[in-house]
Every structure is written in C-alpha cells, then in structure tokens.
Amino acid sequence: MHPWIIFAILSAFFASLVAIFGKIGIRGVDSNLAVAIRTLIIVIFAWGIVLLQGNFNDLYKISTRSYFFIILSAIATGLSWLFYYKALSLGEASRVAPIDKLSVVLTIILAFIFLGEKPTLGNITGGILVTAGVLATVFIK
C-alpha cells in the first residue's frame, strides 16, 4: 500500500473526529469563537512539530510563489472552518459532515481544470457516488 493512502485514511479518521468533537464542543459557544480557539491550538501544535523536526530554518527556503499559495490555502481553510462550525452549530453532524465532503467532488473538478490532472473512470465514478451520498443524506429521511 502506498504511504499516501495510509496518510489519507488517517486524515479521514481524524476529520471524522472533528465533526463529533466539534459538535459536542460548540454547545452553548459561538461558532466563530470555537474556530478561533481551535485555530490557536492547531497553530501551537503545528509549530511544535516543526520545531521538534528542526525544520524552522526551512522558512527561508520557501519561494514567494509557494508562500502566496500557502497563504491562499490558509484563507480558504479558515473560511471553510468558519462555515463548517456555523453549520455544525445549526445542524446535525451526521448531515453537515457529508455535505462538507462535497469538497471531494469540487477538488476533483478543480484538479482537472487548474492542475491539469486527467479524468479517470475511478475519480469520475467516485465523484458521482459522493454526490449521490450527499443527496441521499440531505433528502432521504
């Protein structure tokens, strides 16, 4: 098994915990405040890992272009988290999380358009199935 598959599975597992822990944690808490607290913890955690690995000096090796896109990614992440936590504060985690996973379908489409990745039967079928799953989650009670 490719290492990226293992990391992707771990990502999915921990992402599922985000919805569960987040839904429990935001009871009676403003969703934006919850995101701010979450972000602070992530910043401390991520910088701790960088410092433990000894990668801090690599900051100076990053190109301006890479910084630009990392910053755009950070802004997109922040907006995603703000909207996700707002949705969790208003709706059921079992319905919010699948809708959030439409990001999978959008990523597939955007990867074709902007990254020049080639459509395959597998990623097109997967995108259709994810979309069908989201629609079933939202519209079938």
Side-chain angles (χ1 to χ4, degrees):
M1 183 179 303
H2 296 285
W4 66 265
I5 294 174
I6 295 167
F7 289 120
I9 291 168
L10 288 169
S11 173
F13 171 73
F14 286 107
S16 71
L17 295 178
V18 169
I20 302 306
F21 294 159
K23 181 67 177 177
I24 295 168
I26 61 173
R27 288 187 186 139
V29 177
D30 176 74
S31 63
N32 293 330
L33 178 59
V35 170
I37 294 167
R38 175 185 183 207
T39 303
L40 178 63
I41 300 304
I42 291 168
V43 166
I44 293 167
F45 185 73
W47 278 109
I49 291 170
V50 167
L51 293 172
L52 284 172
Q53 288 181 327
N55 294 345
F56 184 79
N57 288 329
D58 290 347
L59 277 173
Y60 307 106
K61 298 176 184 174
I62 299 173
S63 70
T64 304
R65 182 178 190 277
S66 289
Y67 267 118
F68 176 74
F69 282 101
I70 290 169
I71 289 167
L72 287 180
S73 175
I75 292 169
T77 298
L79 290 170
S80 173
W81 290 354
L82 288 169
F83 291 126
Y84 186 71
Y85 264 58
K86 187 63 173 181
L88 276 178
S89 73
L90 300 171
E92 299 171 349
S94 62
R95 297 180 83 195
V96 169
I99 294 170
D100 177 65
K101 296 310 170 218
L102 278 175
S103 64
V104 171
V105 177
L106 295 172
T107 300
I108 291 169
I109 293 167
L110 294 174
F112 297 157
I113 295 169
F114 294 108
L115 301 178
E117 294 184 8
K118 302 294 181 216
T120 66
L121 180 60
N123 55 30
I124 291 172
T125 303
I128 291 168
L129 290 172
V130 169
T131 303
V134 169
L135 291 174
T137 301
V138 173
F139 294 111
I140 298 174
K141 296 198 178 196

